[in-house]
Amino acid sequence: MALSRLHLLLNKPPPHPFLPPSSFFSPLSSSFHVSSRRPRPIPRFSFARRLLCSKSDPPTQSDPRRDEPAPSIIGDLLDYLNESWTQFHATSEAKRQLIEAGFHLLNENDEWDLRPGGRYFFTRNMSCLVAFVVGESYSIGSGFHVIAAHTDSPCLKLKPRSASSKSGFLMVNVQTYGGGLWHTWFDRDLSVAGRIILKDGHGSFSHKLVKVRRPLLRVPTLAIHLDRTVNTEGFKPNLETQLLPLIATKIEDAEMKSEDKKIAPSSSKSAHHSLLLQVLCEELSCDVSDIMGMELNVCDTQPSCLGGGNNEFIFSGRLDNLASSYCALRALIDTCRLPGDLANEQAIRMVALFDNEEVGSNSMQGAGAPTMFQAMRRIVDCLAQERFREGSFERALRSSFLVSADMAHGLHPNFPDKYEEHHRPALQKGVVIKHNANQRYATSSLTAFLFKEVANVHNLPVQEFVVRNDMGCGSTIGPILASGVGIRTVDCGIPQLSMHSVREICGKDDIDIAYKHFMAFFQSFSDIDKKLSVDF
């Protein structure tokens, strides 16, 4: 019997192909450490994915105040990446983990009842999430310590009318989302994931997430025999006519099942291939007539995994910016897990995950909306109750600090001339603080100092990045949030290569360093901030 099948029948996870059983890999060394901790139960992720892409025995949580180092979160990050094919799935999985950790789900439409020591969160559009923890020593006017990231990544999205055909093939019409490296999407095993609006038998409608794990789509390249100059003049596909995935051949109208032929040509269902609708219905256990709407991304089916000769890299899609999102989420959860973690905390710790950063953040669920600041005002008002004082919210904002966490450009060994000579972040060397004199990043000398001081206190490495003067500079949600109401902000990120490719790469050590840095921020910033005087 195959090893994987034997472990499945025994209800035990198989050993990870890269790690010895009952062990974990030290994030800052090349040695293995044997763990005596009991293995946790198998999570709900498919066991085949765990075999390929995460540890079979991830370490359990430890008290971060103890002398022993914090455990690695690499295995859990791989699980999160493999679960989070879309911004909806990333938010849904974050929601599941928060509830499991004891956070209380709020509704933006309801009145809130908040208390010091409480843990809360809410979602918007199931693609944006705000979670927060109130310190047990909270006092009116205390600030918010926030880590903000985003859930979306460049991808292809199905058009409202996706059904088309070419030269005997059934094709799927797509539109580009964000600034992707679109040539990397060719010759990949692709599928679809997203959300579907379904009707039930009682006249109501529900929002359901769907993910087709098997390869369903493909964007084939043109053979070099028919494009002899591609290697000398570059691959420059037309994104409207040459980036369409194929789903099937059209021989004998193979896409039409007998039950689907009842669909009238004018029906909204005819906007999509009936074969695609059939696949979606099989995943959701529903009828085609139940589908009222859909919002689907094209996704790469290759699992996230460890790679490199020493298994020191993470190969994955959507590292930008789910890696930052997960490090922030876990840092918040793990710094309020134990009794006493919030006993001396006067501030409010918060994580905000936004959608639509890759296209400018100008949406209801993006950082351009007042979601976070409205939540802050409601929190202050709710906690103040009858003791409301003049300027409580404004004073809280002046005492607040935001970490804008988005991936950073690591030094590419084949293109070193693309980087400023003295600011070349390396993989495996820690979080990168981003600077830009033209405020494409919101970092100032003061905010950089405070964030570096958090690292210094906890003996964590920090790097810095500045773009060359002869090159354009990207941006983040940092300036958007900083300028909204004037919150102190530092822009930082985990260094990576292949940013915006369908398949990206980052260092395993940097994930654990970022996780520790974010935990240190939540645990230490209140004390560090008191030591700096600027405007008084």
Side-chain angles (χ1 to χ4, degrees), residues 155-381:
C155 66
L156 303 176
K157 291 179 177 286
L158 269 64
K159 292 181 178 180
R161 303 186 67 84
S162 70
S164 67
S165 61
K166 286 184 179 182
S167 304
F169 288 95
L170 299 181
M171 312 297 291
V172 177
N173 282 325
V174 294
Q175 52 186 331
T176 57
Y177 175 85
L181 292 173
W182 304 121
H183 67 274
T184 65
W185 288 74
F186 282 75
D187 295 334
R188 301 291 302 183
D189 295 339
L190 306 174
S191 191
V192 294
R195 68 172 169 192
I196 306 291
I197 307 300
L198 297 176
K199 69 175 182 180
D200 58 25
H202 307 287
S204 299
F205 304 93
S206 61
H207 149 115
K208 292 290 182 66
L209 300 188
V210 65
K211 181 192 306 175
V212 182
R213 296 187 182 277
R214 68 179 179 90
L216 187 66
L217 306 173
R218 187 89 170 191
V219 185
T221 52
L222 182 64
I224 193 169
H225 312 79
L226 306 177
D227 190 7
R228 293 290 187 180
T229 62
V230 65
N231 288 330
T232 56
E233 298 181 4
F235 182 48
K236 304 173 183 178
N238 183 293
L239 300 184
E240 176 64 22
T241 61
Q242 298 171 340
L243 192 58
L244 274 66
L246 58 85
I247 188 172
T249 56
K250 198 181 177 182
I251 299 175
E252 298 178 356
D253 289 328
E255 81 280 11
M256 293 295 289
K257 295 290 184 178
S258 58
E259 62 269 21
D260 296 329
K261 293 181 180 179
K262 300 177 183 179
I263 300 175
S266 60
S267 168
S268 61
K269 307 299 186 302
S270 64
H272 307 282
H273 289 304
S274 56
L275 176 59
L276 174 61
L277 295 175
Q278 176 191 342
V279 171
L280 296 173
C281 289
E282 290 173 355
E283 292 288 332
L284 295 170
S285 300
C286 69
D287 296 328
V288 173
S289 59
D290 295 332
I291 298 178
M292 296 290 101
M294 65 178 66
E295 185 174 350
L296 297 178
N297 296 358
V298 176
C299 305
D300 185 29
T301 61
Q302 185 175 355
S304 306
C305 64
L306 298 180
N310 297 317
N311 298 316
E312 63 185 289
F313 303 120
I314 296 176
F315 298 157
S316 174
R318 305 174 303 282
L319 287 174
D320 179 12
N321 190 33
L322 293 186
S324 304
S325 297
Y326 187 71
C327 289
L329 180 74
R330 275 294 297 272
L332 181 66
I333 291 174
D334 292 349
T335 52
C336 65
R337 187 182 296 274
L338 301 174
D341 280 345
L342 300 173
N344 298 318
E345 181 62 84
Q346 296 180 343
I348 297 170
R349 302 172 183 175
M350 177 180 284
V351 164
L353 308 180
F354 297 100
D355 193 5
N356 299 132
E357 187 276 343
E358 299 292 356
V359 292
S361 298
N362 294 320
S363 67
M364 179 190 73
Q365 58 274 3
T371 309
M372 189 178 78
F373 300 118
Q374 288 175 350
M376 288 177 167
R377 181 177 290 279
R378 293 188 67 176
I379 293 168
V380 171
D381 291 349

Side-chain angles (χ1 to χ4, degrees), residues 476-530:
T476 68
I477 59 177
I480 297 172
L481 296 173
S483 62
V485 291
I487 186 171
R488 294 176 296 169
T489 302
V490 63
D491 265 298
C492 71
I494 300 167
Q496 72 162 103
L497 300 176
S498 303
M499 186 179 288
H500 288 194
S501 170
V502 73
R503 197 76 174 167
E504 300 172 321
I505 175 176
C506 74
K508 185 173 66 173
D509 287 0
D510 291 323
I511 296 297
D512 283 325
I513 294 172
Y515 164 62
K516 294 175 184 178
H517 201 148
F518 292 166
M519 283 203 304
F521 168 71
F522 285 134
Q523 293 169 327
S524 306
F525 188 79
S526 291
D527 293 333
I528 293 173
D529 193 30
K530 294 176 183 177

Side-chain angles (χ1 to χ4, degrees), residues 85-98:
W85 280 21
T86 72
Q87 68 276 29
F88 306 119
H89 291 84
T91 305
S92 176
E93 178 57 22
K95 173 183 175 181
R96 184 190 71 82
Q97 294 192 23
L98 287 166

Side-chain angles (χ1 to χ4, degrees), residues 316-463:
S316 174
R318 305 174 303 282
L319 287 174
D320 179 12
N321 190 33
L322 293 186
S324 304
S325 297
Y326 187 71
C327 289
L329 180 74
R330 275 294 297 272
L332 181 66
I333 291 174
D334 292 349
T335 52
C336 65
R337 187 182 296 274
L338 301 174
D341 280 345
L342 300 173
N344 298 318
E345 181 62 84
Q346 296 180 343
I348 297 170
R349 302 172 183 175
M350 177 180 284
V351 164
L353 308 180
F354 297 100
D355 193 5
N356 299 132
E357 187 276 343
E358 299 292 356
V359 292
S361 298
N362 294 320
S363 67
M364 179 190 73
Q365 58 274 3
T371 309
M372 189 178 78
F373 300 118
Q374 288 175 350
M376 288 177 167
R377 181 177 290 279
R378 293 188 67 176
I379 293 168
V380 171
D381 291 349
C382 187
L383 292 172
Q385 298 178 349
E386 297 84 11
R387 298 174 290 115
F388 186 81
R389 301 172 185 172
E390 185 277 328
S392 297
F393 178 61
E394 289 75 12
R395 289 189 291 118
L397 287 178
R398 298 294 81 76
S399 301
S400 298
F401 192 93
L402 171 73
V403 176
S404 169
D406 205 346
M407 300 298 280
H409 296 294
L411 177 63
H412 197 303
N414 296 333
F415 301 93
D417 57 310
K418 297 294 184 179
Y419 300 77
E420 203 278 333
E421 181 180 2
H422 303 291
H423 299 84
R424 296 180 170 181
L427 269 59
Q428 318 289 18
K429 296 298 178 65
V431 172
V432 180
I433 297 177
K434 307 175 185 179
H435 302 263
N436 184 261
N438 297 307
Q439 290 299 294
R440 298 292 287 171
Y441 303 130
T443 305
S444 70
S445 59
L446 294 176
T447 60
F449 162 75
L450 289 168
F451 196 61
K452 284 189 286 187
E453 189 63 17
V454 170
N456 291 336
V457 170
H458 292 265
N459 196 29
L460 296 169
V462 175
Q463 307 183 80

